[in-house]
Amino acid sequence: EAGVAQSPRYKIIEKRQSVAFWCNPISGHATLYWYQQILGQGPKLLIQFQNNGVVDDSQLPKDRFSAERLKGVDSTLKIQPAKLEDSAVYLCASSTQVKAEAFFGQGTRLTVV
Amino acid sequence: RKEVEQDPGPFNVPEGATVAFNCTYSNSASQSFFWYRQDCRKEPKLLMSVYSSGNEDGRFTAQLNRASQYISLLIRDSKLSDSATYLCAVNRDDKIIFGKGTRLHILP
């Protein structure tokens, strides 16, 4: 079974530029999560989708971050404009249902300079 | 108080020893619990789910104490390959919340 796919693996941008990350969850997984992990910290939930609806986005900085999950499958996370403190690994995860364990993609390592 | 708390470590443990980590959670409505392992510069990988009755998978044992609101992970006969960060995760209101992780170094 294919795992969660993310791209790109690495991205370096200048502050105030925009960037987008893509995620394809495990086939059949209805729940999709985007987490931000800063070095030395645990993953922080940014947004959670159930199919193509948002379940929780309370921790998403909505002035600069946006996310969508069209057709309940792939998802994109966008940052515009980026700040230095956005440098982190952005992890996508999916699960079969909201109470089940989540499986992670390899993440996108973002460096903002 | 953070919702999920872990001792960040590092725990430096000789090979073959037994090591235990605890993780406390603040919300009594939390419904499911997990331990993840994360290697350096890699994504978290599910180690085991934690059931009310406790569960064991080879050298790993997980326990849940709802009354005191903590979960534990016990690693017996530790191997060099067990060196990693262990993340505790709690499902609350259908969201999976992670602790900061506990770093474990197994020493030869």
Side-chain angles (χ1 to χ4, degrees), chain A residues 10 33 35 37 40-43 45 48 56 91 98-107 109, chain B residues 31-32 34 36 38 41-46 49 87 91 93-101:
Chain A
Y10 306 93
Y33 310 85
Y35 287 88
Q37 188 173 27
Q41 305 285 317
L45 181 64
Q48 177 181 340
D56 185 273
L91 294 160
V98 292
K99 290 181 174 50
E101 58 273 11
F103 297 91
F104 285 85
Q106 291 182 302
R109 186 173 301 273
Chain B
Q31 295 176 301
S32 46
F34 312 98
Y36 283 77
Q38 186 170 28
R41 301 180 74 85
K42 299 285 190 180
E43 75 275 20
K45 292 189 176 176
L46 181 69
S49 301
L87 296 163
N91 189 310
D93 295 337
D94 299 336
K95 294 189 291 287
I96 300 179
I97 311 296
F98 284 83
K100 289 188 174 183

Side-chain angles (χ1 to χ4, degrees), chain B residues 38-98:
Chain B
Q38 186 170 28
D39 293 295
C40 187
R41 301 180 74 85
K42 299 285 190 180
E43 75 275 20
K45 292 189 176 176
L46 181 69
L47 181 64
M48 56 201 305
S49 301
V50 186
Y51 304 120
S52 296
S53 54
N55 46 305
E56 187 174 309
D57 182 2
R59 298 182 293 110
F60 298 83
T61 300
Q63 302 241 313
L64 167 64
N65 185 316
R66 285 193 183 271
S68 300
Q69 294 183 202
Y70 74 85
I71 66 173
S72 63
L73 178 68
L74 181 79
I75 306 175
R76 289 182 298 278
D77 187 23
S78 53
K79 312 290 185 192
L80 294 175
S81 56
D82 294 333
S83 296
T85 295
Y86 290 83
L87 296 163
C88 166
V90 168
N91 189 310
R92 185 264 299 161
D93 295 337
D94 299 336
K95 294 189 291 287
I96 300 179
I97 311 296
F98 284 83

Side-chain angles (χ1 to χ4, degrees), chain A:
Chain A
E1 179 183 78
V4 177
Q6 287 190 249
S7 68
R9 289 291 310 280
Y10 306 93
K11 192 75 177 178
I12 301 174
I13 62 171
E14 295 182 349
K15 59 184 179 184
R16 292 186 290 273
Q17 285 188 321
S18 63
V19 64
F21 312 129
W22 174 82
C23 172
N24 181 245
I26 294 172
S27 177
H29 280 198
T31 306
L32 185 147
Y33 310 85
W34 282 103
Y35 287 88
Q36 179 194 59
Q37 188 173 27
I38 292 171
L39 189 64
Q41 305 285 317
K44 172 188 168 185
L45 181 64
L46 293 176
I47 189 167
Q48 177 181 340
F49 293 93
Q50 179 69 12
N51 295 309
N52 60 347
V54 175
V55 173
D56 185 273
D57 63 357
S58 58
Q59 301 264 58
L60 189 73
K62 298 181 188 64
D63 58 333
R64 299 184 301 106
F65 286 63
S66 64
E68 61 181 8
R69 189 182 185 196
L70 298 176
K71 300 181 182 179
V73 182
D74 293 7
S75 178
T76 56
L77 175 70
K78 297 179 182 177
I79 307 175
Q80 181 179 14
K83 293 186 175 181
L84 296 176
E85 59 260 36
D86 298 331
S87 295
V89 177
Y90 291 84
L91 294 160
C92 179
S94 69
S95 64
T96 54
Q97 55 186 315
V98 292
K99 290 181 174 50
E101 58 273 11
F103 297 91
F104 285 85
Q106 291 182 302
T108 297
R109 186 173 301 273
L110 174 68
T111 302
V112 183
V113 297

